[in-house]
Amino acid sequence: MPYDPSAFPPFAVTVDLVVLTVRRHALCALTVRRGEPPFQGRWALPGGFVRADEDLAQAAARELAEETGLRAHDPSVPVQDNGAHLEQLATYGDPKRDPRMRVVSVAHLALAPDLPAPRAGGDASNARWAPVEELLQHGGYGRDGEPVAPLAFDHAQILSDGVERARSKIEYSSLATAFCPPEFTVGELRRVYEAVWGVALDPRNFHRKVTGTPGFLVPTGGTTTRQGGRPAQLFHAGGATLLNPPMLRPEV
């Protein structure tokens, strides 16, 4: 029998973005308030439909630029100015995940240093950073006395998966530096680990581990007092992508 495309039901493909940053020492995710049905008025992860002339990576990079103004970069090299780590997370294809039609979403994880207040675009009527702990605890986000509602679609599950990916990858890779500016102190890097893992770390042990891991950090030769106190040594990300030994997450 010849292949007949019309014999198969049509479906759409979207990309959803778990955009994580550290703001005020807390791990935060970018959320948008939907301006159109379905789930109009509910908070959701940013994303959109894949266009006919682009592949998945291009669609994710376009959505990232539209929502944050950041450009994606090669994940095999350290984060550059105005750049963000972007990687594919997982695929979600429950037939009932979107009430409009059959929609398969390919979620992506994006990480960047302290990002500014987001701007709403597309069909989003508002955009803001929300603490991940609050989003995961309640499955939604409310403010100004409004009731807490679950995130739209299956975005609570996607967010949870993205956060766990980030938490596990900073154990064995240099991905934590994606949350830092190009030059940073060991204390600033430690606060990234504390925000992502949700734990307090011993400063001396942390300093010993990260400075003793080959290829993880490279001294710049400069210092800073932006954190107050005595001048602190500045570092930039080294060439190592895998950490040996790994930075094991404390048990809580």
Side-chain angles (χ1 to χ4, degrees):
M1 295 290 291
Y3 170 66
D4 179 12
S6 65
F8 300 90
F11 66 91
V13 178
T14 62
V15 289
D16 287 310
L17 297 176
V18 179
V19 185
L20 300 178
T21 194
V22 175
R23 289 170 60 86
R24 302 181 183 90
H25 308 309
L27 182 63
C28 295
L30 180 62
T31 54
V32 297
R33 190 192 292 273
R34 290 188 55 79
E36 299 177 359
F39 304 108
Q40 185 172 7
R42 291 262 290 276
W43 292 95
L45 299 176
F49 287 93
V50 178
R51 297 172 180 172
D53 61 346
E54 62 186 1
D55 61 24
L56 295 173
Q58 291 171 332
R62 171 179 55 80
E63 289 289 343
L64 179 67
E66 291 175 357
E67 298 289 351
T68 67
L70 294 170
R71 67 177 185 272
H73 73 94
D74 186 342
S76 66
V77 300
V79 174
Q80 305 162 351
D81 290 344
N82 198 35
H85 173 92
L86 182 66
E87 66 177 63
Q88 193 172 124
L89 175 62
T91 303
Y92 301 83
D94 189 305
K96 297 180 180 180
R97 64 177 303 275
D98 192 317
R100 293 169 293 189
M101 62 179 296
R102 181 71 190 275
V103 177
V104 174
S105 179
V106 182
H108 288 69
L109 175 65
L111 309 176
D114 186 18
L115 295 176
R119 62 181 186 272
D123 66 350
S125 61
N126 196 4
R128 65 187 293 122
W129 294 105
V132 161
E133 182 179 0
E134 184 173 314
L135 288 169
L136 294 180
Q137 180 177 358
H138 300 293
Y141 184 72
R143 65 186 183 111
D144 301 330
E146 66 184 20
V148 174
L151 292 173
F153 305 104
D154 52 358
H155 288 183
Q157 181 62 56
I158 296 175
L159 175 61
S160 178
D161 293 345
V163 170
E164 182 54 36
R165 169 75 67 85
R167 287 173 173 168
S168 62
K169 285 197 72 170
I170 66 172
E171 289 189 283
Y172 61 85
S173 78
S174 59
L175 190 61
T177 59
F179 289 103
C180 295
E183 295 184 353
F184 51 88
T185 68
V186 170
E188 290 168 337
L189 181 63
R190 173 172 52 82
R191 281 184 281 275
V192 166
Y193 275 90
E194 291 177 333
V196 176
W197 284 344
V199 299
L201 300 174
D202 180 81
R204 291 187 178 181
N205 287 340
F206 181 84
H207 190 285
R208 176 177 51 81
K209 288 180 180 179
V210 297
T211 56
T213 301
F216 190 10
L217 304 181
V218 176
T220 67
T223 60
T224 181
T225 58
R226 61 182 175 230
Q227 299 297 316
R230 295 182 300 175
Q233 188 176 10
L234 286 168
F235 295 83
H236 65 77
T241 55
L242 297 178
L243 304 184
N244 186 21
M247 296 285 295
L248 298 180
R249 188 183 342 178
E251 296 184 1
V252 294

